[in-house]
Amino acid sequence: MKLFTLNQSNPFIEFILNSKESYITIKSIHLQYKGNDTTQWMEEFSKMKLLVTHHSLVFTTESFVDERTLDYTILLFPEINQSQPIIHLNQTIKNDVLKIGWNSSEKFYTSLKLEIQHIKETFDVLLDIDLFEVAKKC
């Protein structure tokens, strides 16, 4: 379990996927206000989205670059009667296998990016994540 902080000045985190079996599990997402005003946290949470992007550089030359990406969005909805600004997501994001053209050898995505969208400067978002065969990209 690792905690990562995202905010308006640092809205994303990138990981290196070491194998086709690599995955991350987002256990929870916690909204942490920088000031004392915590009254609108549910509205702010529901406006945010988590963009997930898998990426792989397949082939490159001086004049040609073949990159593959897979994007999708995770919407963040807190429970209606919830009192704390936290979402227990428990979502696993697995790596995916690529097949390029007629070549039957399997390739896999080599990086994963998590980006919080529609985040205000008044709070931080804490991601509680488990990693398997994954390293944080520096």
Side-chain angles (χ1 to χ4, degrees):
M1 174 174 75
K2 295 190 179 219
L3 285 175
F4 299 97
T5 303
L6 302 178
N7 51 43
Q8 193 175 44
S9 61
N10 185 27
F12 67 89
I13 186 165
E14 291 185 88
F15 300 98
I16 298 169
L17 304 172
N18 296 319
S19 74
K20 67 181 182 180
E21 288 83 22
S22 298
Y23 67 86
I24 68 169
T25 300
I26 304 172
K27 305 295 256 177
S28 63
I29 300 175
H30 185 269
L31 192 64
Q32 183 176 29
Y33 274 82
K34 295 177 183 175
N36 293 329
D37 182 22
T38 61
T39 57
Q40 299 295 322
W41 70 265
M42 191 171 288
E43 181 181 332
E44 297 301 327
F45 230 146
S46 61
K47 289 178 185 176
M48 292 187 318
K49 297 176 183 176
L50 182 62
L51 178 64
V52 179
T53 304
H54 285 85
H55 180 264
S56 182
L57 180 62
V58 176
F59 181 76
T60 184
T61 65
E62 288 182 21
S63 61
F64 180 74
V65 175
D66 183 3
E67 294 178 287
R68 305 295 166 99
T69 58
L70 173 65
D71 296 330
Y72 58 93
T73 302
I74 299 172
L75 301 176
L76 306 176
F77 293 111
E79 296 290 326
I80 293 173
N81 296 324
Q82 190 172 329
S83 61
Q84 297 296 315
I86 189 168
I87 294 176
H88 297 286
L89 200 58
N90 291 320
Q91 177 143 359
T92 299
I93 301 169
K94 296 181 180 181
N95 201 356
D96 206 357
V97 175
L98 304 168
K99 290 193 178 179
I100 310 299
W102 295 98
N103 188 347
S104 63
S105 66
E106 291 183 340
K107 298 187 182 295
F108 56 88
Y109 289 101
T110 56
S111 68
L112 176 72
K113 179 179 174 183
L114 300 177
E115 180 179 0
I116 291 287
Q117 298 179 323
H118 309 294
I119 186 169
K120 287 193 173 180
E121 64 185 34
T122 55
F123 56 84
D124 291 333
V125 175
L126 304 175
L127 301 174
D128 180 3
I129 299 177
D130 286 337
L131 306 172
F132 179 76
E133 294 189 22
V134 174
K136 183 177 183 271
K137 193 173 187 178
C138 296

